[in-house]
Each structure stands twice: as C-alpha cells, then as structure tokens.
Amino acid sequence: MAMTQTDAPRVLAPGQGTIVGTTDSSDRFLVDAAEVQGRLALVEHTIAPGVLAAPVHRHTREDEFSFVLEGRVGALFDGVEVYAEAGDLVRKPRGEWHTFWNAGTGPLRILEIITPGGLESLFRLMGDPDATADLLEQVEPTYGCAVDEEATAALARRLDLRM
C-alpha cells in the first residue's frame, strides 16, 4: 500500500526507502508520485563506473532532471553527448531520445526528479532481477516509452559500456 502525503516520513535518512537493483546500478525511491498526488517523484540512482543506466529511450509524459550528487555522468540527447559533474543539473525533456551512464572512475550518484511522477514505477520493474527484456518491452507503451535497441548497442560498443 502506498503512503499518502500525511503518513510519509518527514525525514528519510540515508539508506532508508525502497532500494532495488544490483551492485552495478541501484535505485533508491525517496518520494513516490502516489505520496504527493502524482506531482513528482524523486529517485536516487547509484551507478558503477562504465555502466549504461538505461537504453536509449524517450518518454512522452514526463520531464526528468538529474542533479549530480557525486561522480561524473555522461548523457546522450538526440545524438549529442554531454558531461556533468557534482553540482550540475542535467535536463531530460519529454519526447527527446536520451540515455545516461557513469562516465567517471568512481561511483555516480544522481538525484532524479521526475515531473509529473509515475515513471518511477517503470524503474521498479527494471530493477527487478526477475524482469525479462520481453516483459519490459511489453510494458513500455503503458508508460509512454520507446526504446532504440540499435542505438543502445552502438553506444555501448563505442564507449565500452555495460548494462
């Protein structure tokens, strides 16, 4: 059962919140859309060096903002690469093909701000170790998402990234 805004904790300490994923990439769910009437979601991504956090994709319903807490992030937007470091904000507008990866030598931690919320539910599915590529492909339309597998494979090969 999802928490409501009134019963959600006022302080979420480090390590608290639902955490899904692996040692290569994990998501810590800080604020679910259901807690704030769908207005936004906050997710902390932790990504190991050389890891591509998501396939090249686009979503039609949400804007994402990645605030870099630690490390160096690389991002691809419609074929243009950018890099950001701790203290930088990366804007990922809806409808634009994009992806991101850990472009540094140490851990990457980013605070993902999603507005409106809802896309964090897909992150939960993607972090499930039992989720298959077929399942994720089936649910993408539910979230207004599309994935470009060919562009993903090309980027991963070119930069020697792993998923």
Side-chain angles (χ1 to χ4, degrees), residues 2-22:
M3 288 186 282
T4 65
Q5 187 173 3
T6 56
D7 64 4
R10 301 274 183 183
V11 175
L12 194 63
Q16 290 183 322
T18 303
I19 300 172
V20 299
T22 66

Side-chain angles (χ1 to χ4, degrees), residues 19-29 123-124 126-129:
I19 300 172
V20 299
T22 66
T23 55
D24 274 349
S25 178
S26 66
D27 296 327
R28 177 178 168 226
F29 297 90
F123 295 170
R124 274 197 172 83
M126 291 173 59
D128 182 342

Side-chain angles (χ1 to χ4, degrees), residues 89-158:
L89 180 71
V90 180
R91 186 172 67 91
K92 300 182 273 186
R94 67 185 79 191
E96 188 171 77
W97 289 99
H98 65 279
T99 190
F100 62 102
W101 62 92
N102 183 336
T105 57
L108 170 66
R109 286 188 323 115
I110 60 174
L111 177 62
E112 193 79 3
I113 304 153
I114 306 162
T115 181
L119 192 61
E120 76 278 8
S121 297
L122 181 57
F123 295 170
R124 274 197 172 83
L125 286 174
M126 291 173 59
D128 182 342
D130 296 326
T132 64
D134 288 341
L135 170 66
L136 295 175
E137 189 174 302
Q138 290 171 13
V139 300
E140 285 166 4
T142 302
Y143 293 93
C145 294
V147 170
D148 186 334
E149 296 293 341
E150 191 173 297
T152 302
L155 179 69
R157 276 192 307 273
R158 183 170 60 81

